[in-house]
Amino acid sequence: MNKTIGLFAHVDAGKTTLAEQLLYLTHAIQERGRVDHRNAYMDNHDIEKERGITVFADQAIMPFQGSTYYLIDTPGHVDFSPEMERAIQAMDAAVVVISAVEGVEGHTETVWQLLRKYGVPTFFFLNKIDRTGADPERVLEEIRRELTEDVCLISEEDKLHEGVMSLSLAEAVAERDERLLEQYIDQGFDAGTWLSAMRKMIQDGRCFPCFSGSALQSIGVSHFLLQLDSLLHTDYDREAEFSGRVYKIRHDDQGTRLTYVKALSGKLRVRDEVTYHGGPAGMREKITGIRLVHGKKFTMVDEVSAGDLFVVTGLSSAAAGDGLGALGGRTVYELVPTLKSKVQFDSSVHPKDMLRIFRLLDAEDPSLSVQWDEASQGIHLHVMGTIQLEVLQRIVDERFGHRIGFAEPEILYKETIAHPSIGSGHFEPLKHYAEVHLKLEPGERNSGIVFANACHPDMLPVNYQHLVAQHIGEREHHGLLTGSPLTDMKITLLKGRAHNKHTHGGDFREATFRALRQGLEKTTSLLLEPYYQFKIKVELEHIGRLLSDLTQAKATFEPPDTTGDKVTVTGTAPVSTLMNYAMELAAYTRGRGAITLTYGGYDRCHNEEEVIDRIGYDKNADPEYTSSSIFCAKGAGYAVPWDEADKLMHV
């Protein structure tokens, strides 16, 4: 049986140390490493060893009780959350490691929300119970209060692998199932039935087992592994057609593209041809090699099957989230960067050479959204935070031999519209022809761009309608206020016209973009900025300072919740006003305040006029966008401004 488990935690909770113990106990490694000794097996990149944090979601293989376990150690720092989210796609179960001293921390809640979104069966491990200040019971109550009430404590007397279950665990399981509760009241319980029911509850997200121990001292780790093996069952169909999901892209030292895949059904062999769905429709390529990865090492194999975690070569453009074989579609990831920065590099390096490097890194981390700005001849990318920029500097230096820097990160703004409008675009230089009419409507907040088609085929042939839809979706479109990406809009194709003889490939792109831009000119644009959902916990003496700071940060928040001598405040605030607050909080609470920041989507910018003035975008000087239409007279094309073009349209 193949089982993939992922380890998650806030920084310094002991996640990588637990991974080392699991690998050692299953004889997958001969010697345990330590993060503080810079020799952890799973942190095999120099950056990770030096910083003492996990940056990349690396994996290892460990045999146990007749099963093959694939172990993924995920990043614990918020700057590398997108890497963590992509890895979740490959997991059969998750283990959330929480320090029995610090308890539930900021990143823990982000992890928990993602695991619930993707429906991953989840186990808790309360670590560091040997440390001064450890209080597992308090932390268990925190989990119940802040994450889930359906956490079930598994004690040392629960030996599920031997068919032994304590009365307290049996009662906890029965409380979550009416049929079992009736049976328990009438007849008591038998461990076999209860264990089977518990497995189903874990799979369905109705029960979350919790263990405790010390990874560093190897206390409770063997017990945890035995119970995990008893509770986690996978059921993959190896006889079905092959299907899989891409969850990571890397490149080896020779520049070969490595596609990391979780097989969900069937079998895959070297030289098989595989269809994938993220690139051109029906793209099909041959698998030239298959590797099983174990830390830094890999083994070449000829065949893998459902449940396996592996790397293939031969797929030239499959991206993280793509379905392979019988699995269609692409995963849309939730965690998105809220900052952008410009790459700074030596003038002796040709910009296109540097862009080639960042395109490679963009394939490995699509959240970077690398873009080339023709006007400034600059490379821009999206990031989660400053530590990510430092790591990128190191990667470019070590892998490609270039020393780079980054401009000060800026907030990544977006734009939308306040009212509906109709935009028209006409493109008719000599021997070209296309006309498009679009309806623009405000969408739900954080809904993105949605396209709809209300055009009759008698008005515009279907193939041209498809071209309009394609051009709407092929790129980010810019707003008029700051040139920031458009979002939260429904764009409907109303009508259009082509010419039997003179319509060519790019004509509808030009007409579509002009129609969209003209529609923006006719309505009111709104500037949006990213928001955090926050939870801040301070001692009672600091609540006055906290509320004053939050008011100044333009936050909206619920009434404070007091528990003992601690006060918790939850709410939302602009990223721009709260992004550096953690350091300030630590200073005035002497390190005893706790802050959790999670991405809360986009909403109205709190200082719109100030931002617009600072950015200084000139909508009339953007070479990539124009709202004018091109008409033809006397054998030559001529431009007509957006506010005069409607009366000249042909439909």
Side-chain angles (χ1 to χ4, degrees):
M1 190 180 294
N2 296 335
K3 306 175 183 180
T4 300
I5 58 173
L7 300 183
F8 299 83
H10 191 89
V11 173
D12 291 335
K15 168 180 56 63
T16 301
T17 306
L18 178 61
E20 296 291 309
Q21 287 289 4
L22 293 173
L23 292 170
Y24 180 75
L25 290 171
T26 56
H27 308 293
I29 59 175
Q30 302 305 310
E31 189 178 346
R32 287 166 288 201
R34 285 179 55 164
V35 175
D36 54 345
H37 291 176
R38 299 185 180 180
N39 64 350
Y41 185 81
M42 295 291 276
D43 284 349
N44 53 57
H45 301 268
D46 289 343
I47 300 166
E48 296 176 309
K49 291 174 182 176
E50 290 173 17
R51 285 187 171 272
I53 61 172
T54 302
V55 172
F56 307 102
D58 283 326
Q59 60 198 59
I61 303 171
M62 58 186 200
F64 187 69
Q65 300 288 81
S67 292
T68 297
Y69 278 84
Y70 295 98
L71 185 66
I72 301 179
D73 185 17
T74 67
H77 194 283
V78 66
D79 277 20
F80 308 103
S81 297
E83 174 90 354
M84 175 196 73
E85 183 179 11
R86 290 189 292 271
I88 286 175
Q89 298 290 300
M91 296 174 188
D92 297 310
V95 179
V96 178
V97 183
I98 300 176
S99 166
V101 180
E102 284 82 12
V104 175
E105 299 178 88
H107 193 60
T108 316
E109 295 194 39
T110 302
V111 165
W112 176 253
Q113 290 166 8
L114 276 177
L115 292 173
R116 299 286 48 81
K117 175 192 172 185
Y118 290 108
V120 180
T122 303
F123 300 77
F124 291 102
F125 187 85
L126 306 186
N127 194 26
K128 303 185 180 182
I129 62 169
D130 58 321
R131 295 283 184 89
T132 303
D135 189 346
E137 289 185 10
R138 170 183 59 79
V139 177
L140 190 62
E141 282 308 308
E142 273 187 33
I143 293 172
R144 289 197 173 104
R145 186 172 65 249
E146 299 183 23
L147 303 182
T148 176
E149 293 182 355
D150 292 320
V151 59
C152 296
L153 184 64
I154 312 285
S155 67
E156 288 289 332
E157 60 183 290
D158 292 303
K159 296 180 173 61
L160 306 177
H161 60 294
E162 297 175 359
V164 177
M165 182 181 287
S166 65
L167 185 61
S168 60
L169 179 57
E171 289 175 345
V173 173
E175 285 171 4
R176 286 158 178 81
D177 187 297
E178 251 181 69
R179 183 182 59 82
L180 284 183
L181 187 58
E182 289 176 11
Q183 187 176 333
Y184 177 74
I185 293 169
D186 294 341
Q187 308 166 21
F189 78 98
D190 73 88
T193 302
W194 256 243
L195 180 57
S196 178
M198 194 172 178
R199 287 177 187 144
K200 181 74 167 63
M201 289 178 187
I202 293 168
Q203 197 66 35
D204 294 344
R206 293 184 289 132
C207 177
F208 304 97
C210 182
F211 303 83
S212 62
S214 168
L216 189 61
Q217 303 299 329
S218 198
I219 299 169
V221 180
S222 293
H223 177 259
F224 160 69
L225 185 54
L226 284 165
Q227 309 323 305
L228 173 72
D229 188 67
S230 298
L231 291 169
L232 178 61
H233 277 218
T234 56
D235 184 21
Y236 288 106
D237 186 351
R238 289 172 173 77
E239 304 307 314
E241 182 182 355
F242 172 75
S243 68
R245 176 79 71 189
V246 177
Y247 65 94
K248 185 165 67 171
I249 301 294
R250 289 290 181 268
H251 295 83
D252 65 16
D253 293 340
Q254 286 72 47
T256 304
R257 186 184 177 99
L258 306 177
T259 304
Y260 286 66
V261 179
K262 170 66 175 283
L264 301 174
S265 65
K267 296 177 181 177
L268 183 68
R269 301 172 182 84
V270 176
R271 291 182 292 281
D272 281 354
E273 288 195 346
V274 174
T275 302
Y276 56 95
H277 307 278
M283 185 145 185
R284 193 170 177 82
E285 292 183 304
K286 185 179 290 186
I287 301 298
T288 58
I290 302 176
R291 312 178 186 186
L292 296 180
V293 179
H294 184 54
K296 283 183 177 178
K297 304 172 185 175
F298 64 86
T299 306
M300 303 298 293
V301 296
D302 292 325
E303 178 182 292
V304 286
S305 58
D308 280 326
L309 212 61
F310 54 94
V311 172
V312 299
T313 54
L315 302 184
S316 63
S317 56
D322 281 358
L324 300 182
L327 182 67
R330 172 183 281 181
T331 302
V332 177
Y333 297 112
E334 183 170 290
L335 295 175
V336 296
T338 56
L339 302 174
K340 63 179 179 180
S341 185
K342 182 181 179 181
V343 184
Q344 298 171 330
F345 53 93
D346 194 273
S347 58
S348 63
V349 180
H350 195 285
K352 294 299 167 67
D353 291 334
M354 187 58 67
L355 181 61
R356 198 173 300 115
I357 290 170
F358 274 91
R359 292 280 186 224
L360 200 73
L361 296 175
D362 192 52
E364 297 180 356
D365 182 359
S367 71
L368 291 175
S369 300
V370 172
Q371 295 174 342
W372 171 256
D373 182 61
E374 191 65 38
S376 66
Q377 294 286 290
I379 301 167
H380 298 259
L381 66 160
H382 299 175
V383 291
M384 299 291 288
T386 54
I387 292 180
Q388 185 183 5
L389 290 177
E390 292 171 20
V391 169
L392 282 169
Q393 279 182 279
R394 183 71 177 273
I395 289 172
V396 173
D397 186 12
E398 292 182 353
R399 282 177 60 180
F400 306 103
H402 292 294
R403 292 191 175 275
I404 63 165
F406 291 97
E408 186 72 23
E410 301 173 8
I411 294 295
L412 187 58
Y413 294 96
K414 295 187 179 183
E415 296 184 32
T416 189
I417 59 174
H419 313 290
S421 69
I422 305 291
S424 307
H426 189 93
F427 185 69
E428 192 188 358
L430 188 61
K431 295 186 178 180
H432 290 267
Y433 188 97
E435 183 168 302
V436 172
H437 296 250
L438 301 173
K439 182 177 183 180
L440 313 185
E441 298 172 273
E444 293 290 325
R445 193 65 71 233
N446 300 300
S447 63
I449 300 291
V450 177
F451 179 77
N453 191 350
C455 183
H456 196 281
D458 291 346
M459 168 66 70
L460 183 67
V462 171
N463 60 316
Y464 291 124
Q465 295 182 26
H466 289 164
L467 273 180
V468 175
Q470 177 187 319
H471 297 320
I472 291 294
E474 73 186 10
R475 66 189 294 181
E476 279 189 339
H477 300 281
H478 299 168
L480 305 181
L481 301 176
T482 60
S484 297
L486 287 172
T487 189
D488 300 351
M489 284 172 51
K490 181 181 179 182
I491 302 175
T492 304
L493 173 60
L494 299 178
K495 54 187 178 178
R497 179 172 286 184
H499 193 281
N500 290 336
K501 186 177 177 182
H502 296 313
T503 296
H504 300 287
D507 295 352
F508 270 93
R509 178 184 291 109
E510 291 287 344
T512 299
F513 291 171
R514 291 163 195 269
L516 175 56
R517 191 75 169 189
Q518 195 221 32
L520 294 177
E521 296 276 12
K522 292 179 175 178
T523 184
T524 303
S525 294
L526 304 175
L527 190 64
L528 305 176
E529 66 178 333
Y531 276 69
Y532 282 136
Q533 291 177 344
F534 66 81
K535 179 187 287 186
I536 303 176
K537 190 183 298 183
V538 296
E539 292 171 336
L540 201 55
E541 63 181 290
H542 298 302
I543 187 61
R545 164 73 184 271
L546 174 61
L547 295 182
S548 173
D549 287 351
L550 291 176
T551 301
Q552 193 171 343
K554 307 300 181 184
T556 57
F557 47 89
E558 301 294 323
D561 179 27
T562 305
T563 305
D565 63 345
K566 295 286 180 71
V567 185
T568 302
V569 182
T570 59
T572 61
V575 169
S576 60
T577 63
L578 217 58
M579 59 188 291
N580 298 316
Y581 191 64
M583 293 178 65
E584 191 175 336
L585 179 72
Y588 75 77
T589 63
R590 296 177 293 283
R592 291 196 291 270
I595 182 169
T596 301
L597 299 174
T598 55
Y599 172 66
Y602 276 74
D603 212 331
R604 289 293 302 273
C605 180
H606 77 283
N607 58 339
E608 182 176 274
E609 288 187 14
E610 178 189 325
V611 172
I612 291 171
D613 288 344
R614 185 176 73 243
I615 292 176
Y617 174 71
D618 182 356
K619 65 180 182 181
N620 298 314
D622 191 331
E624 291 191 36
Y625 284 94
T626 176
S627 52
S628 298
S629 280
I630 304 295
F631 291 86
C632 190
K634 298 178 182 178
Y638 64 99
V640 177
W642 69 267
D643 53 349
E644 299 175 16
D646 281 350
K647 60 180 178 287
L648 299 177
M649 292 292 165
H650 293 183
V651 293

